């Protein structure tokens, strides 16, 4: 809910310009709606096929954050199986973005996860995820903040 706006599930659209250094300014109405404050870290996920960037205000200093790319079977319950497994192991999912590649066959997902309090290490997480019935491929990489 946008505290200052007083509206739930508000969709905001703004056009901004990219400066010579590749920077954009997030308009104040959007910063307020998402509680983005100065000094906060955000996650940028670029989907080159769709030519879109997703900005997620979710990173705090000291978090052990990873991008988990997965290919899973495009069947009902496949993503639920993955998220239940991660919850069981203390993996905190920050964002989840899944797209069907071949309907009924394959979906690809990019998950951003905080492993700070996880009961499993990244290498172990990959091995165990691959044992799940609906998981086909897993790649995990650490996300380092750029300053």
């Amino acid at each position: 809910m946008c505290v200052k706006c007083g509206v739930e599930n508000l969709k905001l659209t703004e056009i901004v310009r990219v400066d010579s250094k590749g920077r954009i300014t997030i308009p104040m109405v959007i910063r307020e709606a998402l509680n983005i404050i100065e000094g906060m870290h955000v996650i940028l996920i670029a989907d080159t096929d769709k030519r879109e960037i997703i900005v997620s205000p979710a990173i705090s200093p000291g978090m052990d954050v990873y991008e988990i790319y997965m290919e899973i079977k495009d069947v009902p319950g496949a993503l639920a199986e993955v998220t239940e497994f991660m919850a069981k192991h203390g993996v905190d999912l920050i964002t989840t973005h899944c797209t069907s590649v071949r309907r009924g066959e394959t979906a690809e997902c990019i998950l951003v996860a905080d492993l700070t309090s996880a009961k499993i290490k990244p290498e172990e997480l990959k091995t165990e995820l691959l044992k799940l019935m609906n998981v086909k491929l897993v790649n995990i990489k650490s996300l380092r903040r750029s300053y």
Side-chain angles (χ1 to χ4, degrees):
M1 178 172 180
C2 174
V3 177
K4 292 188 180 186
C5 307
V7 179
E8 285 192 41
N9 297 325
L10 180 65
K11 300 288 183 188
L12 300 169
T13 302
E14 296 282 335
I15 296 175
V16 297
R17 186 167 37 136
V18 178
D19 73 10
S20 63
K21 293 184 179 181
R23 298 176 294 198
I24 62 168
T25 299
I26 301 170
M28 185 170 54
V29 67
I30 293 175
R31 292 192 315 263
E32 288 175 350
L34 298 177
N35 294 319
I36 297 173
I37 58 172
E38 182 181 347
M40 177 182 267
H41 290 94
V42 296
I43 298 170
L44 299 177
I45 301 172
D47 184 330
T48 56
D49 291 335
K50 291 184 179 178
R51 298 187 49 83
E52 72 179 9
I53 299 171
I54 299 166
V55 180
S56 180
I59 301 296
S60 299
M63 291 173 70
D64 193 17
V65 181
Y66 291 83
E67 175 189 90
I68 303 168
Y69 172 84
M70 298 177 36
E71 289 182 7
I72 61 176
K73 292 180 185 173
D74 186 30
V75 296
L79 182 58
E81 176 189 34
V82 168
T83 57
E84 285 173 20
F85 172 85
M86 290 193 181
K88 178 179 155 188
H89 288 87
V91 175
D92 182 14
L93 291 177
I94 299 169
T95 64
T96 304
H97 183 75
C98 292
T99 306
S100 179
V101 176
R102 276 181 235 90
R103 192 80 179 118
E105 292 180 32
T106 304
E108 65 179 14
C109 300
I110 297 176
L111 296 83
V112 177
D114 176 13
L115 273 63
T116 306
S117 300
K119 302 170 198 159
I120 192 167
K121 299 206 179 307
E123 314 80 48
E124 230 182 319
L125 178 62
K126 178 179 179 175
T127 302
E128 294 303 313
L129 283 170
L130 286 167
K131 292 178 183 176
L132 297 178
M133 183 173 63
N134 291 309
V135 176
K136 298 178 173 187
L137 173 80
V138 177
N139 288 316
I140 300 177
K141 72 175 184 177
S142 178
L143 292 179
R144 304 264 183 243
R145 288 184 294 277
S146 57
Y147 299 93

